[in-house]
Amino acid sequence: MITDSQVEQWLREDVGHHDVTNHLPGTTEGRLVAKEEGVAAGIKAASAVFEYLSCPVESAVDDGTRVEPGDALLTVTGPTRDVLRGERPAVNVAAHASGSATKTHQAVQAAQAVNEAVEIAGTRKTTPGLRGIEKRAVAAGGGDTHRLDLSQMAMVKDNHVAEMGLEGAVEHVAGQTSFATQVEVEVEKSKDAPRAADAGADIVLLDNTAPEDCERAVEALAKAGHDGVLTEASGGITIETVPEYAATGVDVISMGALTHSADALDLSFRTGPTLD
């Protein structure tokens, strides 16, 4: 949910102490238009900007809608001054979110062309203050949001293992969780996957692991009788390498690039006068 305080911050950042640009008379209609093919996201956030300025959004596509060049993502009417004040924050947030949704969609297509069962997921590598928007964008592109914050799943990472050893770290972390909380354990070598499962992992995270090692880990878990343990591959995976990881049999492929380095979708905002 986008709050008024978020929108106020975005507008204050852009307007500054005095708007010397947008003191235009009359009313206008504005349209947020796609300039390239992609997947729309961040539309509710963009709409919230205009609604905060008391400019009603007349129509808007849903997040997850495939758009082509020239398609309108939303249409807004109101005083020209206010519509133009809302333009840049609205365009920026929608372009950023739509870029993440588009990249997620590309990753999902690349993965499921090889393995229809594999999931593409985001990570916590999000922009501070924009996690909700970016996570929703991943979902709009057909991906899984993964854990939204530290409270949602216990993850035993390399630093935990370095401090306490694998078994010790799993025992310590699992002892602080609810029965409803899953435990994910990071390993960097395929031989450690069954060891993590033996220690109590519900999910084994194969971090910065080559596809062939991921495949060996999946096979090792099955051989050890851990068929119910999920496997996740992560670490520097790109759209180009997604198919290789999908072919290994892992259940999830997580990609920080879906949020931290997706190109913004090219959007434009166009206005024209309406009758008062």
Side-chain angles (χ1 to χ4, degrees), residues 197-273:
D198 288 339
D202 300 298
I203 307 161
V204 174
L205 171 60
L206 304 159
D207 190 47
N208 293 307
T209 305
E212 54 269 23
D213 288 329
C214 288
E215 186 170 6
R216 281 194 285 268
V218 171
E219 293 170 352
L221 285 166
K223 186 176 179 180
H226 292 299
D227 294 327
V229 174
L230 296 177
T231 50
E232 175 184 346
S234 186
I237 299 173
T238 65
I239 298 293
E240 291 72 28
T241 60
V242 159
E244 297 176 58
Y245 284 92
T248 67
V250 296
D251 300 291
V252 180
I253 299 170
S254 58
M255 302 171 63
L258 301 180
T259 51
H260 70 56
S261 58
D263 291 336
L265 194 70
D266 193 2
L267 304 179
S268 175
F269 193 80
R270 302 171 186 171
T271 64

Side-chain angles (χ1 to χ4, degrees), residues 39 99-116 118-122 138 141-144 237-246 252-259 262:
V39 177
S100 287
T102 299
K103 188 160 190 170
T104 302
H105 176 71
Q106 292 167 347
V108 169
Q109 285 192 312
Q112 295 189 348
V114 176
N115 177 1
E116 292 184 356
V118 70
E119 295 276 355
I120 296 294
V138 169
D144 189 282
I237 299 173
T238 65
I239 298 293
E240 291 72 28
T241 60
V242 159
E244 297 176 58
Y245 284 92
V252 180
I253 299 170
S254 58
M255 302 171 63
L258 301 180
T259 51

